[in-house]
Amino acid sequence: MGKLDVEVKVKSEAEKFWKSIKEAATILPKVCSNIYEKIEVVEGDGWSIGSIREIHYGEGTPFGKSRKEKIEEIDESKKKVVYSVIGGDLMEYYKTFKFSIEVIPEGEGSLVKWHCEYEKTSDEVPDPITGRDTAAENIKEIDAYLLKA
């Protein structure tokens, strides 16, 4: 099992940033349209344990055409959500791929932690560094969007 982490300090207060995570299906295609073409809730309400959403990527992204992810855990008090990837192009390279997002109040802003655990299908598969770096960029872009709103 491999692990990757990234922490990003944002200016948005924790409750506001956490709300944007809950509304990611709407916000990500709007704010990060160069990566996300659309995000569809295919099972559940989109924000409860067991909900499944399908992410469709834009042309030329390094993530393939799409992926399906399922909400495994939600902790409202810790502002933390855990997803597992259950389908799509990513599963050609990884046997398992789980990631979490946690929003921690810090001063007037927040600290957003992204963590992923994965198991590769073979040793030749690279670590998902691009996914980690994209997560960090998404966090910064969401923060900039929230600060303008």
Side-chain angles (χ1 to χ4, degrees):
M1 288 290 276
K3 295 180 182 184
L4 285 173
D5 295 282
V6 68
E7 296 182 357
V8 180
K9 290 185 180 191
V10 298
K11 293 179 181 173
S12 299
E13 66 99 21
E15 198 58 49
K16 190 173 186 180
F17 203 93
W18 178 240
K19 186 176 184 229
S20 77
I21 298 300
K22 292 178 177 184
E23 298 171 356
T26 305
I27 288 179
L28 283 174
K30 188 186 307 182
V31 176
C32 307
S33 59
N34 58 322
I35 297 171
Y36 304 97
E37 191 175 284
K38 66 179 175 178
I39 300 175
E40 298 175 290
V41 175
V42 294
E43 198 171 304
D45 63 6
W47 190 252
S48 59
I49 293 172
S51 288
I52 297 172
R53 62 186 188 182
E54 187 165 7
I55 290 106
H56 299 273
Y57 296 108
E59 199 67 36
T61 64
F63 307 111
K65 292 187 183 304
S66 67
R67 80 167 185 246
K68 277 189 180 175
E69 57 191 32
K70 180 179 185 179
I71 296 177
E72 299 288 348
E73 299 171 37
I74 300 171
D75 187 329
E76 290 285 348
S77 64
K78 288 185 175 179
K79 295 177 180 51
K80 181 178 179 179
V81 60
V82 178
Y83 299 92
S84 62
V85 177
I86 60 169
D89 299 320
L90 200 62
M91 301 316 295
E92 292 177 33
Y93 307 102
Y94 301 96
K95 293 177 189 175
T96 60
F97 197 97
K98 260 187 153 172
F99 66 97
S100 65
I101 301 167
E102 184 176 6
V103 183
I104 301 164
E106 190 173 89
E108 292 181 19
S110 313
L111 179 66
V112 181
K113 292 183 175 184
W114 180 89
H115 171 79
C116 99
E117 295 180 4
Y118 55 91
E119 185 179 356
K120 302 181 212 181
T121 54
S122 74
D123 290 339
E124 289 76 45
V125 172
D127 292 332
I129 304 285
T130 304
R132 180 202 61 197
D133 294 347
T134 300
E137 283 305 310
N138 289 347
I139 292 165
K140 292 172 189 172
E141 289 178 32
I142 290 169
D143 187 41
Y145 170 79
L146 294 174
L147 292 171
K148 287 184 211 167

